[in-house]
Amino acid sequence: MHKNVILAFLLFSYLGAAAQSKTQSSWQQQVDYMVDVKLDDVNHTLDGEIAITYTNNSPDTISFMYIHLWPNAYKNNTTAFAKQMEENGEMDFYYSKDKDRGFIEGLDFKSGGVKLKVDTTENIDVVKVMLAKPIKTGEQVTLFTPFRVKLPKVFSRLGHENQDYFITQWYPKPAVYDVNGWNPMPYLNMGEFYSEFGSFKVNVTVPANYTIVATGECQNADELSATKSGTVDSVPPSDSRLKTVKFEANNVHDFAWFASKRWGYVTKKIKVGEREVLARVVAAEPDIENLKHIETAITYYSNNVGPYPYSHATVVHGELKAGGGMEYPMITLCDFMSEEVIVHEVGHNWFYGILANNERRYPWMDESINSYYEGQAMQKEDSKKLDLNGLIMNALVQDNMLLGEHQAIATASAELTEGNYGMSVYGIGSSAFGYLKAYLGDGIFKKCMLAYYETWKFKHPLPDDMKKSFETTSGKNLTWFFDEVLQTNKKIDYAVCKHKQGFELKNNSAIAAPVPVKVTADGKTTTTWYEVFPGESIILPSAAKDRIAQIDAFGETLDFNLGNNKTDSKVKLKFGSGIDKPEFKEVYVLPALGWNAYDRLMLGLSFHNYAIANKSLQYMVMPLYSFEKKSLNGIAAVSYTMPLDGAGEHLIYSLDAKSFNFEERESFGKDYKYIKVAPSIEYVLPKSNQRSPINRSIKLAYNFIELIPDFDINRSEKVSIIENVIERNRQFFTLDYKLENKSSINGFSLDIGAQYGLISSNSVLADLANPTPFDSTRRRFFPHLKDSLTSANLLTVSSIFKYDLDIGLKNKPLQFRAYGSYIFDSPDATIYKNTIGSLDKAGLYDYRFDEYLMHRNATYGMFQNQISNRRAFSKFVGLLASNETWLLDFQISVPLPGKIPIRPYVEFMAYDDLDKETWNSTGKKLIYNLGLELQVIPDRLEIFFNLAQSSIVTDYQDGTTGGLSSNRQINTFAERITFVLDLNGLMPQKLKRQLKMF
Ligand SMILES: [Zn+2]
């Protein structure tokens, strides 16, 4: 059932959105509340009664009311809240115990003494109350109901932490009825609210030694001292006497209260025009420094948006799991007491509290604008300074745009991914208003905001109301901003270059947003705004000989592609990596270090253009010099990423190359150097929507591997000659399909790959009588080319299926892994015979040279046990499957409760003709292996300790049944330890993509 709930919810909000009017009508409803509530701090419950007086100011007759019962969001795992948390990978609530969850019960809606019929909706935290008698325009109705709230632990906003109480979104509350009809909404963690204005009279009864603060004015004189001391140490016992504290508030649309026996407070009076506003910080250890941050917000917003209308602004330091702070009228709760959080939350009194937009549908109208003002309030004078957070945010947005994962600023909360909620709404949503201000100029922008505030204070503005207000005040057409910049998920990109008549300014993007161009001609600088139609260009005339033009020199617009923003940008060599500047074309350089068993220590340099922001074209060249082999090795990679129209849809063209030395193990221990060049194209398919956990991709690659013998193949002596072959090159075409369901619960992935290979070899003659220099473990080989090239084909398919089964342990599923491979056609070259059996043994399985191996083809030492989780991932050490058809491998990894990072695992393997192996005297068709797994970095660095296995494998390993030759025999526990070290996955450009969800 739970999947249907979320689908119904998404469909519902989508249909709602499609029909939305974007301008508000002149009327709005009024809802006044009287609440009596008593806290039981032993059972963590609230018992209360509420009277809701609803005034219908709409032209419509109202016959029912949607009422929010948001404490029910914490009732079970099928609520919209629970599903969203699960989708976002925040699993605390999912795995929580019933006693820590919450709900509302005991409701009995009546009006005029008549019991009202209540219908359920698809969300248990929204009900439909049928009125006894429809209310016409101008009429009122009062609903009464008792209620009992079981308070959850804090999983989001409402709840308690021991005996600290955070009482928010807690009482039965009608949804907004506006020009678009009813706006019911289930509670969400990521996605806020929409409520009617009115008045509140709330009486709260608590044990007498609680500090209690709330929205509105406190009516108890003895609760109003200027300071009170708190305690951090222990929670005092509750006073047996009770007190009832009364609060009244007008012109607000929500009421929150907070209570604790540990809290004290400090206060300060702040002047707003002729009035005084009380700033108050409430905490176990209230810090007077934080009063300054409240003052910063009150003063800046009052001057630049509109005067603060309420009597106090209170900041409570407490427990919250929905961001760093959360706003309520006159009062905010901050989990993290920084200037940024306090200014932001207090600032919400304007953008949410007074200008009360539908936050769920248009989060940009409160969060983007408020984040912009928060930044302005904090750095007032220095408004053009780009802060580091802003630059990182821009970089992340650029990444998202490249991958087709960006979502427009004006997207509804429930449709945004968790990352985009931060990046689009708060990040570039805030920058967008800086863009608008730069375009309008400081003075006009301020006038627009003051006028918007005056017109829409204590109302519910819709997007076009704001647009109309700004257009009227500024006298400018702002369609480009409100209908395009806010609505597009495409990159805005202008380019400038020199032209014989001056400069050419081109708009490479899909929208006609204006940009400022700074022109310096013969020492004189001017900045002018231009607007160019999408895809077109204009000439900016300039006859000056010495002339430079730069787009967006102050970083005010949302033009993300800085590389084409300035004429005469110079190539600049910089150390490390960093933030690209439009003045330069940066080439970053880093010292590089490498090691493998053949090349030993390698030193080199890495030249690359990986910066904080990924670019469509990226490259890295890392030459590495091996002192041991006196040879130049290294890695090179270049990729071009192209976003397509679908959600997450994109193409990546890549060319990867690398070269290192290694030794071919089989037969004669020949030394080689390999050079691999692999062009590929990967298509990431569109998702059904950006929040979908399903990812699909197809990758086609060509792998060319040249094997260069590191020995003289033209020797003339002929002594004790045997015949053999040496490989010259390998070529593989690979086609891989990947399907991944990244759900936090029961996620899975399926990889299916096919490859077609061509192996080219020479027959050679070898001299075994004079192996110099002689090496007892590695016999040297001195071949003579005999005859011409022969070639062989290889066609295989393989598949990996992984499934994570939830067994009720948070982030610790039972993991299943199945691998299968089938060889249709194989080369009969001696060297190849065993390598295609798909068994892991450092190097033999990696015949495409995909991995970075510490000791490729090792037959001794610890590095021979480096295995790859992209193949069979087998922990059977030293076992060579000589089959040339099918192989199946199945593994289970079992989590242990608590913080233990060790997981027991078991592996089973079967392959064609396993029972006919010479060492398999018992004719077993299945072999097993079990042990313990230590995940240091999941999938990147893992160690496996074998504890038991089929006895025939042990007998094969220690030579009992004549399996491994004496110098390769495996006798000890240490020799059976295998490990994954995935350097591919640790490459910087990939790591950054993995880290981007901060
Ligand atoms: Zn906010």
Side-chain angles (χ1 to χ4, degrees), residues 680-969:
S680 67
I681 174 166
E682 183 177 2
Y683 172 50
V684 178
L685 280 80
K687 303 204 270 187
S688 56
N689 66 74
Q690 293 284 7
R691 288 184 60 82
S692 165
I694 312 283
N695 296 305
R696 295 168 301 158
S697 63
I698 299 170
K699 185 173 180 177
L700 177 67
Y702 168 66
N703 301 262
F704 179 83
I705 300 129
E706 177 74 19
L707 300 165
I708 304 165
D710 183 27
F711 44 80
D712 182 3
I713 54 170
N714 296 311
R715 271 175 45 132
S716 53
E717 304 102 280
K718 291 194 174 77
V719 192
S720 180
I721 285 170
I722 67 152
E723 190 170 336
N724 209 301
V725 288
I726 62 162
E727 275 192 71
R728 306 309 297 269
N729 64 55
R730 306 174 183 179
Q731 298 171 72
F732 299 97
F733 292 92
T734 57
L735 182 63
D736 289 285
Y737 172 78
K738 191 175 171 97
L739 169 69
E740 194 178 19
N741 180 338
K742 294 181 118 172
S743 294
S744 304
I745 300 296
N746 301 339
F748 65 83
S749 71
L750 173 68
D751 293 50
I752 301 173
Q755 66 169 356
Y756 177 73
L758 284 165
I759 319 298
S760 303
S761 313
N762 271 107
S763 290
V764 292
L765 300 175
D767 175 1
L768 282 183
N770 289 310
T772 49
F774 184 75
D775 180 328
S776 61
T777 55
R778 302 183 300 156
R779 286 171 294 166
R780 284 286 161 183
F781 181 67
F782 297 96
H784 306 257
L785 280 177
K786 194 182 138 199
D787 43 40
S788 59
L789 216 59
T790 59
S791 66
N793 302 334
L794 177 70
L795 179 64
T796 66
V797 290
S798 62
S799 176
I800 302 171
F801 178 70
K802 290 197 255 184
Y803 184 74
D804 288 350
L805 178 71
D806 174 46
I807 52 166
L809 293 176
K810 189 182 158 194
N811 299 334
K812 287 189 165 187
L814 186 64
Q815 296 179 321
F816 295 92
R817 185 185 201 276
Y819 173 86
S821 73
Y822 192 85
I823 301 162
F824 291 96
D825 194 0
S826 78
D828 55 9
T830 315
I831 296 167
Y832 247 81
K833 190 169 179 190
N834 297 323
T835 64
I836 51 178
S838 314
L839 273 184
D840 296 277
K841 178 74 182 172
L844 288 185
Y845 58 84
D846 188 36
Y847 48 82
R848 291 202 310 251
F849 294 80
D850 291 340
E851 312 284 336
Y852 290 95
L853 298 175
M854 306 300 282
H855 195 168
R856 186 175 290 276
N857 299 348
T859 56
Y860 54 89
M862 63 185 275
F863 292 126
Q864 70 169 319
N865 292 347
Q866 183 176 356
I867 60 177
S868 164
N869 51 22
R870 278 181 279 270
R871 302 289 159 84
F873 198 33
S874 171
K875 287 96 186 176
F876 288 106
V877 178
L879 189 65
L880 302 176
S882 56
N883 88 94
E884 290 171 3
T885 54
W886 60 268
L887 180 142
L888 291 169
D889 188 89
F890 182 70
Q891 303 185 20
I892 305 173
S893 158
V894 186
L896 296 176
K899 291 206 155 52
I900 312 161
I902 301 262
R903 301 171 70 106
Y905 73 84
V906 60
E907 172 184 2
F908 298 96
M909 178 183 278
Y911 58 84
D912 193 17
D913 291 342
L914 167 63
D915 53 339
K916 299 194 182 71
E917 295 279 14
T918 54
W919 44 268
N920 187 356
S921 54
T922 56
K924 286 208 165 66
K925 290 185 189 299
L926 187 73
I927 48 179
Y928 80 93
N929 176 333
L930 64 86
L932 295 172
E933 164 186 356
L934 173 66
Q935 291 187 347
V936 184
I937 307 170
D939 295 337
R940 304 291 174 236
L941 180 57
E942 298 177 341
I943 305 166
F944 304 90
F945 303 94
N946 169 269
L947 297 178
Q949 60 185 351
S950 300
S951 59
I952 53 169
V953 176
T954 309
D955 292 344
Y956 163 84
Q957 289 174 341
D958 64 16
T960 307
T961 46
L964 291 177
S965 56
S966 59
N967 61 339
R968 294 183 187 173
Q969 280 163 9

Side-chain angles (χ1 to χ4, degrees), residues 368-387:
S368 301
I369 303 175
N370 186 43
S371 298
Y372 168 72
Y373 276 97
E374 159 221 315
Q376 294 295 300
M378 283 169 59
Q379 28 175 292
K380 288 171 225 165
E381 308 310 320
D382 197 9
S383 63
K384 280 178 180 161
K385 193 183 92 191
L386 261 181
D387 62 324

Side-chain angles (χ1 to χ4, degrees), residues 192 325-327 344-345 348 351-352 359 363 366-368 370-371 374 421 426:
E192 295 175 318
M326 183 62 203
E327 63 275 11
H344 181 96
E345 300 310 330
H348 270 303
F351 301 102
Y352 147 83
E359 299 179 283
D366 51 293
E367 294 300 354
S368 301
N370 186 43
S371 298
E374 159 221 315
Y421 186 60
Y426 293 76

